Each structure stands twice: as C-alpha cells, then as structure tokens.
Amino acid sequence: PKVMLVPNAYPPSSRGGVETYVTLLAAELTAQGLHPLVLHPYRDLTVPDYDQQLDVVDGVDVLRVNRPENLWHQEFGDPRFERLFAEAIREHGVDVVHFHHLCDGLSPSLVEVARNAGARTVVTLHDGYVSCAKGHAVDAAGKPCSGAESVDKCVSCLGGGPHAPGPVRLQLTQRAEVRNRVMADALGQADLVTAPSRYIADLTRRAPWAASIPIEVRPLGLDLESFRGARTPARRRRPGDRLRVVVMGNVRVHPSGTDTKGGLLVATAAQALPALDVHVHGGVDDTFRTVFAQVPSVTVHGPYEAHRRAEILGSADVLLIASPVESFCFVAREALALAVPVVTSDGGALTEAVRDGVDGLTFRAGDVEDLVRVLARLDGDEDLRLHLADAAPRMVAISEDARGWRQTYGELAPSREPRPATSSRLAVVVASLPGDPTLTATLEALARQDCDSAAFEVLVVDAPPGGSPAAWARGLAGTTSELLVVVDAGDLPGRGFVRSHLEGHARHPAAGDAVVGWAALDVEALNDAAARVALRTDPSLIDGGEHVLDAAVPDLAVPPRLGSLHRDLLRRALAEGVPADAPELALRLRGEGLRAWFHPGARRTVSLTATDPRADGAAAWRTLAGRSDEVVAIELSLDHLSARWAGAEGGLPTARAHADQLRELPLPHLRASSATLPDGRTVPASDVLLDAFEALAEYERLQGAVQAAAEVDRGETVRAG
C-alpha cells in the first residue's frame, strides 16, 4: 500500500519526540521497501502561504506545506489546507494515512478529509492533546491530571474557575463541548487508534466521549542498533568526581504557562545539591536561561544535533527527567540502552519506561524535596548506581516496529479489486452558459472520477447556472440514464463524486430514494456577493437539523447541490411546475415522502416526511420559506429599487455588528453557541450570522442593480430573474 505519514513537523525544520520517531519510522519503512510519503506543515514568512515543496530528505519523500500560523478559529479545520491535503492523497494514490498529530498546523478534520478521499486512516496519540486542550495533561497547579472526566473540570483548569466572570466560563464551556464533539468525531472515524503507552490510552479513555473508542497500545520503536553499538559498562567514579547529571529536552514555559520539562525543579535541586555537575542539553528559553544562570553547578549547552544523542547520554552518570508527565519518553529508553541509569518523576508514562530500583529511581512528580532525596542517595551510593546501570530493559527496535506497521497498513489498505458495478447509470448534467470559461475545469474534474467511465455520462446544456428548470428539462430529454444529477459550470466534483452517488443508490435502490451530496466546491466563493446570497440555502435547511457535509467544504461556505434521483420522480415534479432550485425541490418532494440519503460517509439518514415545513415555526424553515418569494421576476427600475436599497443600507450597521460579534467564532462552534438579538431574544449563532450575511449580500446585490438601472432611461424597465 501507499502510505502517508502526517506529523505536525519534520526535520530539518523542527526536531522533537514526534519528529524523531516519524523520521526513524519513515527511514525504516523505506529501507524495507514501502517508500512512504511524509506530509507536514511548516511556517516560513519568506514563502507564499500554502506553498508546497516536494523534497527528498535522507531518502524519504517529504511534502511540505507552508501553513499560515494556526489562528484559534482554525483549530478544528482550515478549508484551504484540507483541499490541498485531499489533492495530495489523490495525486499520490495514498491508500493509508497515518496521523501522528492533529494540531499545530494540522486539525482533527483531516481524518474525515482523508476518509472522503478514499484512504484508510490511523491516528497515533503521542500525547494528551485529544482530551486536553493544553496538550500535556498537567493541571493548573503543575501536577499530573487524572483525565478529562468532566467539562467543568477542564473549564476550571483553563481559567474558568468559580471566580471567573460568567461570560468567560460560558465561552470556555462552549469551546470545551465543541472540542469534545470534534475529537470524538475524528477518532470515531479513524480505522485504527493507537497510543505509545498505557498511560495515554487510559488518559484518553477517561474522557466520557472517548470511553468506547478502542485504543491499541503500541510502544514506539527505537534505533537500538546505533545505541547498542555505543553501549559500554558504567565506570565507577574516582574519589572526588562529581556526579554528572544530564538533562535533555527543550526547557521552556509552555504557552499554557506550564513548566512541562520541570526546569524549575532541576534548578532548585541543583541549588540544594551544589556538589552535582548538571548539564542541560536542548533549547532553553529566556526565562529558564535566567533561572539556570543563578545556579553555578548548572551548565546550559543549548540545542544539539540528533547524531550526538548517544554521545551526550554516554557522558552522563545519570539522566534526570523532571517532567511532571511524559507520554512515552524516548530519551529515558535511549539512556537505558546505553547503560545510563535514569532518575525520573513518576508522572504519566515514565514508570512504564523506568522501573524504580531496577534500572532507575523515581520521585513524586513536582516534589522537589523528594527529587533532592533521590539524587543525594544516588550521589552517595556508587554501588547502587552501577547496579541500576547493569539492567537490561526490553525495548522495541524500529526495525521490528516498522515490520508491524507494514503488516497493519497492508491489512487496512482498501482492496485494489475493481468495485462491483451497479445496475444504474448516472447522468451528470452540467448547466453552462455559452462560452463559460469555467466549463473546462468542471469537465476535467469529471474526467478524473475514480470509477468506470461506463457507469456515467456527462451532458452539457446551455442554461443559466443555479439548477434552472431548463437544465433539468434538457438533461431529462438528452439521456436514458436511470439517475440524474445537475451541477453548474465551475463546480469541481471530487474524484469520488459519481462513485458515491452510485454506491448510495445501490444501497438504497427504491425509486423514491435520493442520494444527497455536494461537489467539492471552491470555498473562495465566499468572496463573491452572489455566492453569499446562496448561503440561505444552507444544507441543514433540508431537515432543519445537523447535516453531513464533505469535510473539505466548511459549514455555511457554499450552496448545496440536490443529490441524484430517479429521472421519473424529477420529471413528475417538473411537470407540476415545481421550481428546480435545490431547496424548493426538496420542499416539494417532502410531500411525496422522498427519503434523502446523505453521503459521503453518512452516519445517519434524513427522512423527508410529508409535513408542512412552514407550520413548525423553525427559524430555518422560515428562512427557506422567505426565499421562495424571491424566485420570481422583478422590475429592474431605479424607482422600484431605491426604497429597497435604502432599507438594505439602513440595516447595514446591525448586520455588520452581528458579523463582527461572531467573526472570531470558529465555524464548528456556530451551532453550539448562541447570540443575543437587540430585542433580547437568544438564538443560535449560526442563524444570526446567516441573517447578517444575507443582509450584507442583499445590499451589494441591490447596489449593483441600482447602478445597472441608472444606465437606462428612468422609465424603462428590464426583466430580471
């Protein structure tokens, strides 16, 4: 299978635990003949945003995407990056995507993007990120957290304690609830979820939303061959030799304010034991440079090259790990492979790496007095130190690890056998005005469909885009295919568009069933006033509830396309004069009991029952019902438009205020959040933002109409749809 490895960073742009492991895995998989592709985001201000560079790094193909700084509202998804990600999967024929992170330029939405692009997915949880917004599962007091057992607990840790202002706590609560749903959806869609330690697996499962998600514990492989070659018996110190204590890692204050590597404990313990000789290797921020500079026995060496790890560890009498928690800890295992005993806290997975009294000593996480006691004991008992160094721990070699992953990837990879043919044939009708320059791109997208070309046909009709009655009627007349779907010139159907429709009908073959789906449209359409007018056809209006949407297309970004349905059903509707525009047709077909099946990857069905949508009082239906009043011809005259324009202009301040109020709210949060109207009513934020967009778009549309009308004589009128 073709495999894509997705870390949040990769050498040479960044080096850390995840990057180290993915580098080892990619190199070993390549050596074993699998040749994976590594895709990762990076940030370079001298390179255009979203620029892609395909390089070869130490024999491994690496696709780097220059991702802008992750704005907080993009934590769960960046549509432009998602499109690039899906295109990379398709272009390189990727069968399995192995995620090694979902943050720092990546997002949980990518799991669904990969799934919709036809790849199987694996998520390896290298830390506590999916259940902890801080990422490291350390509480506000700097102690190891037992897990995200409740939203209230997490909100308090994030600054929403009992003394926090009500709005702050409410906002943090809403974000936490949305975050939990997003993470549950991402892990729930993955074909396999793994963790490198029992600690991370248990920590994740303590979150109620993750309790039922199977997580397989798979320790990470190490480059044991190079370390075993450097292993030498520990030497006994000569009288007067100081105990050389080595600390490895990036010692800094985490953005959450947490001392994740225990730098303050190291400095305090060294101050209390001046006979120690402490050496810090790794990046050290300004805060800790100042702290360490005040302790004479501490030497800061700064960042180091990866090839020097064995040399640095081999110089130590003992490795000190003062972190409050670690999710796996490469450096502890590497030290043990070199016969270097380890002093470590008992936080997180560290006790899985170091056995107290066997190959190291542990102290209570965050307890500096206990750390001082353990270091003093080791400094004074050379026989104990040599005994600990003589242990032979069992660890997994990267070669063994890679062989296991090769087998897993092979088991997960989708079958390469041809998909079973369906008895139905789909006609894709493309509505295009003569000479439309966007038609070529649409036809090229249809030519790249991942199914047998005999399973569908493409017809181009001269008709205004927008699902006009002419397009539907001409499509019906020009084909004998059982199923029909209409797209507009300029729409760019994803590679699985036709296949998904055909598979949906194969699962639901009744003549009254429709498969509802969307083309992978360009979300930049938001910059077009006409596209914003179409926002009122939000997909959720079909059933007034949540909807299933292609992950590459963000909520509220583009108008939907009515799904494919049997041409006889559509012919009857058109014969009765039903507008062919998607929402109106959906409303009309409710009366016939049409059932609409959402794809791709639908996790539920939406039943369009024979009820009167205008009688249920839902805001969504009210918005949709209002749309039908405008599907008529209007007189384009200056007199007729001036009053409407003035009214729209008067509503601009309110619309802009609503847009400004909600512009910082991530799209996935809109349905979970509320907004207050001037009359005091509280409504879903998505409704307010939709109304604001409509008002702004109406103003722009009327402004253009007035300008056009001013170009004709005052008494003259023209007809406009």
Side-chain angles (χ1 to χ4, degrees), residues 267-622:
T268 306
Q271 187 78 52
L273 298 170
L276 299 182
D277 185 17
V278 181
H279 295 262
V280 179
H281 294 266
V284 177
D285 67 11
D286 292 340
T287 298
F288 281 107
R289 282 192 177 276
T290 301
V291 170
F292 290 143
Q294 299 172 13
V295 186
S297 61
V298 175
T299 303
V300 175
H301 296 269
Y304 56 88
E305 295 296 326
H307 68 269
R308 295 192 59 229
R309 293 172 71 87
E311 171 197 341
I312 294 170
L313 287 169
S315 71
D317 294 322
V318 60
L319 173 71
L320 171 59
I321 301 172
S323 310
V325 297
E326 289 284 350
S327 59
F328 180 72
C329 200
F330 266 101
V331 70
R333 291 170 167 83
E334 291 170 344
L336 298 180
L338 290 169
V340 176
V342 181
V343 169
T344 177
S345 82
D346 60 0
L350 287 166
T351 55
E352 297 178 48
V354 178
R355 298 167 293 178
D356 187 33
V358 177
D359 44 29
L361 298 176
T362 62
F363 65 93
R364 291 186 295 274
D367 189 333
V368 68
E369 293 181 357
D370 200 31
L371 172 58
V372 170
R373 177 189 64 79
V374 169
L375 287 174
R377 177 189 175 192
L378 199 60
D379 186 30
D381 192 339
E382 189 68 357
D383 289 337
L384 172 61
R385 188 182 71 84
L386 295 175
H387 168 71
L388 297 176
D390 197 38
R394 167 74 174 93
M395 287 176 281
V396 178
I398 189 63
S399 56
E400 176 186 350
D401 187 18
R403 283 194 297 271
W405 278 118
R406 284 181 60 200
Q407 180 177 348
T408 298
Y409 298 148
E411 294 169 351
L412 287 176
S415 172
R416 296 181 180 276
E417 297 178 0
R419 298 178 180 272
T422 61
S423 58
S424 300
R425 190 163 182 258
L426 179 70
V428 182
V429 179
V430 182
S432 172
L433 292 174
D436 189 335
T438 65
L439 175 61
T440 300
T442 300
L443 296 179
E444 289 177 347
L446 290 171
R448 291 192 296 266
Q449 294 299 300
D450 61 355
C451 62
D452 188 346
S453 60
F456 72 104
E457 60 178 330
V458 178
L459 295 90
V460 179
V461 297
D462 293 335
S468 70
W472 290 96
R474 294 181 191 181
L476 285 171
T479 178
T480 58
S481 296
E482 299 92 333
L483 307 171
L484 189 83
V485 63
V486 172
V487 299
D488 292 339
D491 293 350
L492 301 177
R495 290 186 69 223
F497 180 67
V498 170
R499 172 179 50 77
S500 296
H501 278 279
L502 290 174
E503 290 179 348
H505 283 285
R507 289 191 298 270
H508 310 289
D513 288 352
V515 174
V516 181
W518 289 263
L521 302 179
D522 185 356
V523 297
E524 302 304 326
L526 271 177
N527 296 324
D528 180 77
R532 290 204 296 271
V533 173
L535 285 171
R536 70 187 67 202
T537 64
D538 180 280
S540 64
L541 300 181
I542 293 178
D543 69 337
E546 295 182 356
H547 59 277
V548 179
L549 189 63
D550 186 335
V553 185
D555 188 15
L556 298 178
V558 293
R561 292 292 175 267
L562 183 68
S564 54
L565 70 166
H566 289 260
R567 68 176 187 274
D568 291 341
L569 184 62
L570 181 58
R571 183 182 288 115
R572 291 202 308 272
L574 292 174
E576 297 173 11
V578 177
D581 190 64
E584 278 75 19
L585 186 57
L587 283 175
R588 170 64 181 81
L589 294 175
R590 284 173 65 98
E592 297 194 9
L594 174 77
R595 292 174 294 168
W597 308 93
F598 280 67
H599 81 80
R603 291 173 295 282
R604 64 182 182 85
T605 60
V606 180
S607 177
L608 298 177
T609 57
T611 59
D612 182 0
R614 294 171 178 77
D616 61 14
W621 289 120
R622 186 174 62 253

Side-chain angles (χ1 to χ4, degrees), residues 8-48:
N8 58 320
Y10 195 78
S13 61
S14 177
R15 295 185 185 275
V18 175
E19 298 95 297
T20 297
Y21 172 68
V22 176
T23 301
L24 290 173
L25 180 61
E28 186 60 32
L29 289 173
T30 300
Q32 295 183 16
L34 197 61
H35 301 291
L37 169 69
V38 175
L39 182 149
H40 74 95
Y42 76 106
R43 185 58 180 150
D44 185 343
L45 295 176
T46 66
V47 177

Side-chain angles (χ1 to χ4, degrees), residues 79-97:
R80 188 169 177 183
F81 185 80
E82 290 166 1
R83 291 201 305 279
L84 295 177
F85 188 72
E87 289 168 2
I89 291 174
R90 292 163 178 148
E91 179 180 347
H92 294 275
V94 173
D95 298 301
V96 180
V97 178

Side-chain angles (χ1 to χ4, degrees), residues 15-16 248-252 260-261 281-284 303:
R15 295 185 185 275
M248 293 184 72
N250 295 319
V251 184
R252 62 181 185 272
T260 56
K261 295 299 180 182
H281 294 266
V284 177

